[in-house]
Amino acid sequence: MTELEIKDVHKVADLARLKLKDDQVAQNIASELNNILKMVKQIQKIDTAGIQPMDHPYQTSQRLRKDEITEKDQREKMQKLAPEVEAGLFLVPKVVE
Amino acid sequence: MHKLSVSDLSKGLANKEFSSTELTKHFLKRINSFNHKINAFITITEEEALKEAALADNLIKQNQQKPLTGIPFAQKDIFCTNGIKTTCGSKMLSNFIAPYDATVVTNLKENQAITLGKTNMDEFAMGSSNETSYYGPVLNPWNTTTVPGGSSGGSAVAVAARLAPIATGTDTGGSIRQPAALTNLTGLKPTYGRVSRFGMVAFASSLDQAGPMGQSAEDCAIMLQALAGFDSKDSTSIDHPVPNYQDSLKNNIKGLKIGLPKEFFTKDLSPDVSATIHNAVKELEKLGATVKEISLPNTNLSIPVYYVIAPAEASSNLARYDGVRYGYRCKDPKDIIDLYKRTRTEGFGNEVKRRILIGTYVLSAGYYDAYYLQAEKVRQIISNEYFAALKEVDVIIGPTSPDPAFKLNSKKDPVSMYLNDIFTSGTNLAGLPGISVPAGFVNDLPIGMHIIGGKFAEEKLLNVAHQYQQVTDWHLKTPKEFT
C-alpha cells in the first residue's frame, strides 16, 4: 500500500464532504493519516483464509416487524429543529440548475 | 450526604433521614461550587431536577419507591433528553434540543432517578482523555493537571468528585472502563445488545454500549437493573432475560477460574501497574478463586482492527450531520455541496474529522478489501480467541489501562492516544461485557483492574467485583480537594 499524498486526501475529503483549507492543511492531514494507516497495516499480515468477516457480535438476522403504521405524525415538532423550513419542506441551496 | 453510596442513599430516603429534594439541592449546590474546577457538566438541569425530586418525594411518602427513586445522577450528553440540549460534546449539536427521550433516559425516568445534568464528553465519543470536547477538556479531580480518561470523562469526574452519586456512560473501545479506572470508579460495559441504543447518538453501531459508572459494584448493579432489557426500538437489542443483579452480588467466589493473558503482562507493562493488578488478583485467590495463565495471541491487533472498524462505522453514522434537518449550519451556503462541506468542516472538531477521513478511506473503492473486510475477518479471529479462553476460565483479568492518568496535552500524536485502548477494545470487538474496578494507586493516581466475562455474564462480573470490594477499600477513597 502506498502512502497517501495530497491528492488522495483531497479525494477522500471530497467523498466525506469535508473541506480542506489549503494544501498545507492537506499535507498535515496526510501525515497524520499515514501514521494511523501505518499502525493499522499490521492486519494485512494476518492469514484470514476461510474466516468469515464479523460485522456484528451476534449471528442473528435483522429482526422484522409487521408492516403497520405505529408512529404518529410529528413533522411540526421535528421541524422546529431545522435551520430553514417552509411549507413542511426543508430548505437548502438550489440543487438542480 | 455526597459521601454515601446509592444503596445507602436509597435506605436514607426510605428511612426519611432526608428527602430527595434535600438530596438534589445538596448535589446541585456542589455542582455549582465545583464544576468550574473540573468542567464535568455541559448542562445543569436544575429546574427539571427539583420537579423530579418533588414527585419522587411523594412516592417515597407513600412507600412506593424503587431502588433508584429520588436518587440524583449525571447523564452523559450522548443520550437524547426530550426538551433538553443534547450536544454530544460537539459544536455540530450545540443548538440541538432533543425532541425525544432515549430508552436509557426513559428507563431511568420510570425508576424516578433525578437527572442533575448532562455531562461533558469527548466529541461524538471519540477519544480517551476528554480533551476533544467543544466545551473544553474535563480535568481529573485526583490531579487537575491530568486527564480523567474518555470519552465518558465528564460522567467519571462527576462521580469521582461526588457531584453526583452515580452516572451513565457509553463504551465503544473503553470509554466507560478507562475513565472509571483513571478516576477510581467502578464502570461496567455490558454485553453488546444488553442495553438499548435507541436515542443514544451513534458512533460505531456494532461496538457502542451504554452502562453505569459508580462508586461500587453494588451501585452499578442497581443502575444496570434499570438500564438492561430488550427494546423493540433498537434493532440490535437482544431479547435475553434480565436477572436480579443485586441478588447474586453476595455469592462467594470459591472455585472461580481466572485467566491472566500473558499478552497483557509483557515487559512493556509498567511494573507498578502490573504489581497492582497481581496484588488485586491475590485478594481474589484468598477468596477461593484459582488463577492460570492463558493466551490471547492477537491482543496487539485489537487496536489496528478497532481503528479501522470504528472510524468506518463512524464515517457512516456521522454522514447525517449535513446542516439540513437539525444541528449546526454554516452561514450563507452558496450551493448544496458548499452547505455540506462547510457545515461539516466548521461543525466537527479535528479528531472527529480525522476519524471520518480514515473511515471513508478504508471503505472506499480499491481499499475496502485490504482494510475494512480484512479488519472484520481479524475481528472474528480476535473474538474467537476470547471465546476459546472463556471456555477454559470464567473470567479474564488484566489492567484496564496501561498507565494511570496522564498529563493534559501530553499525547499530541493520535496513535499514542489510541494505544490507551489496548486492553479494553478487544472486549468491544467481541461484544463481551467488561468491568473496571479500583485496585490501588500508582504515584497517587488510581489504577483499575479489568475483568472480562462471557456473553451476558454481567451478574458474574458484578459479583466478583462486589466480593473484591468487601475485602478492599480502594473504591471508598475520594480525592482530597472535593470532600
Side-chain angles (χ1 to χ4, degrees), chain A residues 30-61:
Chain A
S31 304
E32 283 182 343
L33 297 185
N34 281 326
N35 271 338
I36 296 170
L37 290 173
K38 203 164 72 180
M39 184 267 286
V40 305
K41 265 198 194 101
Q42 298 170 63
I43 65 174
Q44 279 149 12
K45 291 183 282 183
I46 306 300
D47 177 10
T48 54
I51 305 284
Q52 280 296 104
M54 181 186 191
D55 51 22
H56 186 274
Y58 292 95
Q59 292 300 344
T60 57
S61 54

Side-chain angles (χ1 to χ4, degrees), chain B residues 132-425:
Chain B
T132 70
S133 171
Y134 175 64
Y135 298 89
V138 176
L139 309 183
N140 193 325
W142 290 92
N143 178 335
T144 51
T145 67
T146 66
V147 303
S151 63
S152 310
S155 281
V157 155
V159 180
R162 300 295 188 266
L163 306 188
I166 195 167
T168 55
T170 64
D171 191 310
T172 304
S175 292
I176 284 175
R177 295 161 288 157
Q178 186 250 17
L182 269 48
T183 57
N184 209 50
L185 297 187
T186 306
L188 170 74
K189 180 201 90 68
T191 306
Y192 181 83
R194 177 76 288 182
V195 176
S196 171
R197 294 186 304 109
F198 178 76
M200 182 173 124
V201 176
F203 158 17
S205 307
S206 79
L207 303 167
D208 292 347
Q209 191 60 191
M213 301 176 75
Q215 303 171 47
S216 66
E218 185 176 16
D219 282 3
C220 286
I222 294 172
M223 183 174 255
L224 183 65
Q225 201 70 54
L227 299 180
F230 174 68
D231 181 14
S232 56
K233 297 197 289 291
D234 171 3
S235 65
T236 61
S237 174
I238 303 289
D239 195 358
H240 186 92
V242 181
N244 185 318
Y245 294 112
Q246 282 190 274
D247 273 355
S248 39
L249 293 175
K250 55 188 178 326
N251 296 342
N252 71 64
I253 58 168
K254 286 200 185 74
L256 177 81
K257 289 184 271 184
I258 297 172
L260 300 183
K262 62 178 198 258
E263 294 83 5
F264 285 14
F265 294 95
T266 64
K267 57 173 170 51
D268 292 330
L269 182 65
S270 139
D272 288 335
V273 172
S274 180
T276 305
I277 303 303
H278 280 107
N279 286 338
V281 172
K282 282 202 188 79
E283 291 298 330
L284 294 173
E285 282 184 278
K286 283 192 214 157
L287 293 173
T290 60
V291 178
K292 71 185 253 203
E293 190 185 75
I294 58 169
S295 180
L296 294 173
N298 284 297
T299 291
N300 65 335
L301 290 179
S302 292
I303 302 236
V305 167
Y306 177 81
Y307 280 99
V308 168
I309 292 179
E313 294 187 4
S315 73
S316 175
N317 280 322
L318 271 61
R320 68 194 66 188
Y321 302 107
D322 56 14
V324 175
R325 289 155 300 143
Y326 51 83
Y328 178 79
R329 174 187 275 211
C330 65
K331 282 192 171 45
D332 306 318
K334 50 181 173 47
D335 56 45
I336 190 85
I337 299 295
D338 185 46
L339 170 70
Y340 293 155
K341 285 191 175 181
R342 274 199 297 124
T343 292
R344 292 164 63 78
T345 305
E346 292 166 17
F348 290 136
N350 288 337
E351 182 59 31
V352 168
K353 284 187 280 203
R354 208 174 278 136
R355 295 202 194 188
I356 290 174
L357 289 169
I358 288 281
T360 306
Y361 180 73
V362 303
L363 289 173
S364 64
Y367 299 105
Y368 181 98
D369 283 2
Y371 285 104
Y372 184 71
L373 193 59
Q374 179 72 354
E376 288 201 309
K377 291 179 180 177
V378 182
R379 179 179 182 176
Q380 186 68 69
I381 292 176
I382 291 171
S383 301
N384 289 344
E385 287 175 4
Y386 277 89
F387 303 148
L390 287 163
K391 287 204 175 87
E392 291 177 51
V393 297
D394 299 314
V395 298
I396 296 170
I397 292 186
T400 304
S401 172
D403 297 298
F406 45 91
K407 294 260 185 242
L408 282 152
N409 290 320
S410 62
K411 291 188 200 274
K412 297 226 194 296
D413 166 31
V415 174
S416 69
M417 185 68 79
Y418 299 164
L419 296 174
N420 282 304
D421 299 334
I422 181 75
F423 299 123
T424 48
S425 50

Side-chain angles (χ1 to χ4, degrees), chain A residues 15-80:
Chain A
L15 286 173
R17 293 296 184 253
L18 290 171
K19 192 181 178 74
L20 301 173
K21 198 169 80 167
D22 51 41
D23 276 356
Q24 181 58 56
V25 170
Q27 182 55 63
N28 292 340
I29 291 185
S31 304
E32 283 182 343
L33 297 185
N34 281 326
N35 271 338
I36 296 170
L37 290 173
K38 203 164 72 180
M39 184 267 286
V40 305
K41 265 198 194 101
Q42 298 170 63
I43 65 174
Q44 279 149 12
K45 291 183 282 183
I46 306 300
D47 177 10
T48 54
I51 305 284
Q52 280 296 104
M54 181 186 191
D55 51 22
H56 186 274
Y58 292 95
Q59 292 300 344
T60 57
S61 54
Q62 174 64 55
R63 201 173 57 234
L64 302 176
R65 64 181 181 97
K66 283 208 190 84
D67 187 10
E68 305 171 325
I69 297 174
T70 52
E71 302 297 314
K72 59 182 205 283
D73 183 353
Q74 297 189 81
R75 180 199 292 210
E76 215 178 289
K77 180 182 187 196
M78 298 300 163
Q79 285 194 325
K80 276 203 180 73

Side-chain angles (χ1 to χ4, degrees), chain B residues 10-237:
Chain B
S10 186
K11 291 192 190 96
L13 287 168
N15 294 333
K16 320 289 195 277
E17 287 164 30
F18 40 78
S19 67
S20 174
T21 302
E22 282 171 321
L23 196 56
T24 302
K25 282 188 174 155
H26 181 75
F27 281 108
L28 286 169
K29 191 152 163 247
R30 280 184 67 80
I31 294 170
N32 283 323
S33 307
F34 292 115
N35 192 48
H36 67 279
K37 286 191 180 178
I38 48 184
N39 203 19
F41 285 87
I42 292 174
T43 301
I44 300 165
T45 50
E46 181 161 339
E47 216 182 285
E48 292 87 351
L50 292 169
K51 276 197 201 117
E52 288 174 354
L55 290 171
D57 278 330
N58 270 336
L59 287 164
I60 295 169
K61 271 200 195 80
Q62 297 162 49
N63 292 318
Q64 284 175 14
Q65 69 267 43
K66 301 183 202 184
L68 282 173
T69 302
I71 303 288
F73 76 101
Q75 186 81 277
K76 185 174 181 178
D77 207 10
I78 197 170
F79 296 104
C80 285
T81 40
N82 190 15
I84 293 169
K85 209 165 63 159
T86 299
T87 69
C88 239
S90 183
K91 180 176 177 181
M92 189 62 88
L93 292 177
S94 53
N95 65 350
F96 179 67
I97 310 282
Y100 67 102
D101 280 335
T103 297
V104 159
V105 175
T106 304
N107 285 1
L108 288 166
K109 275 190 184 163
E110 281 174 357
N111 281 275
Q112 297 111 30
I114 314 296
T115 312
L116 291 167
K118 307 298 288 298
T119 56
N120 203 346
M121 51 183 284
D122 275 311
E123 187 182 1
F124 283 107
M126 300 186 201
S128 321
S129 64
N130 222 132
E131 292 175 290
T132 70
S133 171
Y134 175 64
Y135 298 89
V138 176
L139 309 183
N140 193 325
W142 290 92
N143 178 335
T144 51
T145 67
T146 66
V147 303
S151 63
S152 310
S155 281
V157 155
V159 180
R162 300 295 188 266
L163 306 188
I166 195 167
T168 55
T170 64
D171 191 310
T172 304
S175 292
I176 284 175
R177 295 161 288 157
Q178 186 250 17
L182 269 48
T183 57
N184 209 50
L185 297 187
T186 306
L188 170 74
K189 180 201 90 68
T191 306
Y192 181 83
R194 177 76 288 182
V195 176
S196 171
R197 294 186 304 109
F198 178 76
M200 182 173 124
V201 176
F203 158 17
S205 307
S206 79
L207 303 167
D208 292 347
Q209 191 60 191
M213 301 176 75
Q215 303 171 47
S216 66
E218 185 176 16
D219 282 3
C220 286
I222 294 172
M223 183 174 255
L224 183 65
Q225 201 70 54
L227 299 180
F230 174 68
D231 181 14
S232 56
K233 297 197 289 291
D234 171 3
S235 65
T236 61
S237 174

